[in-house]
Amino acid sequence: MSEQYERRQVRLASELQRLIAEFLTREAGPQSLVTVTACELARDSKRATIRLGVWPVEAGNTALDFTRRHERELQHYVKEHSRISQIPALKFTLESK
């Protein structure tokens, strides 16, 4: 893999992480604190795994349900607020304890 390709992957993951965090901050309710701890892209950039940290920990499944219900709006938000041409399919997971 070329160095330029790796830099692009890092920039893309960073941009996705920032925009998803912005969306969750704006749209998620105040009942829990949700942070985006990592964004891991597949080699082909068609899929991204987003790791979430949730406090209180008991609210983790609620946060995952929220992200799944709002996935379309989240992808639209990323598209509207970035120059990313192809938004990867997003998969959300909870940060390991």
Side-chain angles (χ1 to χ4, degrees), residues 2 10 25 32 43 47 69 72 88 90-93 97:
S2 74
V10 169
T25 299
S32 61
R43 286 183 160 261
R47 294 172 313 285
R69 281 193 321 269
R72 278 221 160 121
L90 304 174
K91 176 186 173 190
F92 293 91
T93 63
K97 297 176 185 175

Side-chain angles (χ1 to χ4, degrees), residues 1 5 9 11 14-15 17 20 26 29 36 38 40 45 50 53 56 58 75 82-84 86 89 91:
M1 214 178 331
Y5 180 77
Q9 290 286 90
R11 281 195 321 264
S14 177
E15 182 76 355
Q17 183 172 345
I20 292 168
R26 286 184 30 198
V36 180
E40 300 165 0
S45 299
I50 311 301
E58 299 79 28
Q75 287 181 324
S82 72
R83 296 187 320 169
I84 301 171
Q86 181 106 9
K91 176 186 173 190

